[in-house]
Amino acid sequence: MAELNPNCEIECYDFSDELLKKAKEISDEKNLKNISFHAENIMEYHFDSKKYDVVFFHASLHHFDHIPEFLQKVVIKNLVPNGLLIINEFVGSNWLQYSKLQLKYINKAISIIPKEYRKIFKTNIYKNNYYGSGILRMIIADPSECVDSISILPAIHEKFNTIEEKFYGNNILQSALKDISHHFVELNPEKKKVLHQIFDMEDELLEKHPSDFVFGIYEMKT
């Protein structure tokens, strides 16, 4: 973003020192002067009110709880009037609690993948089924993962006008190919055929099931 928009000042906030260090190294390699990095808890950080023209969440908004309150206290408070909110986010079920229909399609996708491409990375185990993630397991593994994701779009639509909103699925792909996607880095005709079959299945599912992922641009209501 900094490279494409040299006249914009970009400030990056994250709690991960390692990710911020990596980003800083990349920006230094590109000699970018319009981007800065901050290891902060934005729930507690004292921003200058009405400072930002744009707030952008990339695969991070779904890690926050109480989304309506969060948008009001952290995002809206710090946007200029008519400021923009941009998201590239998971907006599906909380804690990845997929519907029976979605699980059915995920397992159908797995079933059409030849066995040799279902061998789980760095193991001798083959992926045969996907059972979903239990809530207890999700909370133990990462309690913030999709903790209030289902509230993201309703909360945004209440406070913002939609400029652009593109739903792009991933309802099947991320679960069906988890741990076996390395087989598809290099493609041959057979692999291409399998992937296109799964793409078609996902398109079919999206005709009767909400998309799990969205890219959206929204303008704050006045």
Side-chain angles (χ1 to χ4, degrees):
M1 290 179 66
E3 191 173 19
L4 291 171
N5 303 277
N7 294 322
C8 294
E9 181 181 353
I10 297 172
E11 296 180 350
C12 302
Y13 293 87
D14 205 300
F15 63 83
S16 170
D17 292 324
E18 191 61 33
L19 289 177
L20 290 171
K21 179 183 176 182
K22 182 178 180 180
K24 179 67 165 59
E25 290 172 354
I26 294 172
S27 70
D28 288 345
E29 289 174 4
K30 295 179 178 291
N31 197 32
L32 301 175
K33 305 298 183 183
N34 61 324
I35 186 168
S36 58
F37 303 91
H38 311 272
E40 298 287 351
N41 178 350
I42 65 171
M43 300 297 295
E44 300 175 357
Y45 186 71
H46 295 290
F47 292 96
D48 294 331
S49 183
K50 311 284 184 198
K51 179 181 181 180
Y52 296 102
D53 299 296
V54 179
V55 172
F56 175 40
F57 290 93
H58 173 66
S60 54
L61 183 55
H62 69 271
H63 283 280
F64 291 95
D65 201 355
H66 307 296
I67 292 295
E69 181 181 353
F70 172 77
L71 287 178
Q72 186 66 46
K73 291 187 176 180
V74 177
V75 178
I76 293 173
K77 177 183 177 182
N78 296 304
L79 273 175
V80 299
N82 299 113
L84 298 180
L85 168 65
I86 302 176
I87 68 169
N88 182 30
E89 282 293 335
F90 177 87
V91 293
S93 300
N94 292 352
W95 287 312
L96 301 178
Q97 299 304 293
Y98 295 148
S99 68
K100 291 182 179 180
L101 179 63
Q102 189 169 352
L103 290 172
K104 178 182 177 181
Y105 269 82
I106 292 169
N107 281 296
K108 185 178 177 182
I110 293 171
S111 71
I112 68 171
I113 300 174
K115 184 177 179 179
E116 61 187 296
Y117 307 138
R118 286 189 280 109
K119 189 175 182 180
I120 295 174
F121 189 59
K122 292 185 177 180
T123 74
N124 290 316
I125 302 171
Y126 290 86
K127 183 171 185 174
N128 298 314
N129 297 97
Y130 180 83
Y131 299 101
S133 300
I135 292 179
L136 181 59
R137 178 183 175 188
M138 291 292 298
I139 292 173
I140 293 174
D142 184 354
S144 75
E145 185 63 62
C146 312
V147 63
D148 194 24
S149 51
I150 199 70
S151 299
I152 290 176
L153 287 183
I156 289 176
H157 291 158
E158 181 181 352
K159 300 292 185 179
F160 293 81
N161 295 315
T162 301
I163 295 177
E164 192 73 70
E165 197 170 60
K166 297 294 185 181
F167 296 95
Y168 59 93
N170 205 19
N171 292 41
I172 293 177
L173 293 169
Q174 74 163 351
S175 300
L177 297 179
K178 185 178 184 295
D179 300 322
I180 60 172
S181 59
H182 61 288
H183 294 293
F184 297 90
V185 173
E186 295 183 3
L187 295 177
N188 58 32
E190 182 184 32
K191 293 179 183 179
K192 287 183 179 179
K193 181 180 178 180
V194 169
L195 287 178
H196 280 289
Q197 285 179 303
I198 298 176
F199 298 159
D200 290 341
M201 287 172 56
E202 183 158 273
D203 290 341
E204 180 184 314
L205 173 62
L206 290 173
E207 292 179 359
K208 45 195 172 186
H209 196 287
S211 170
D212 278 348
F213 285 82
V214 64
F215 173 83
I217 303 174
Y218 310 91
E219 183 181 57
M220 189 165 64
K221 293 180 179 179
T222 56

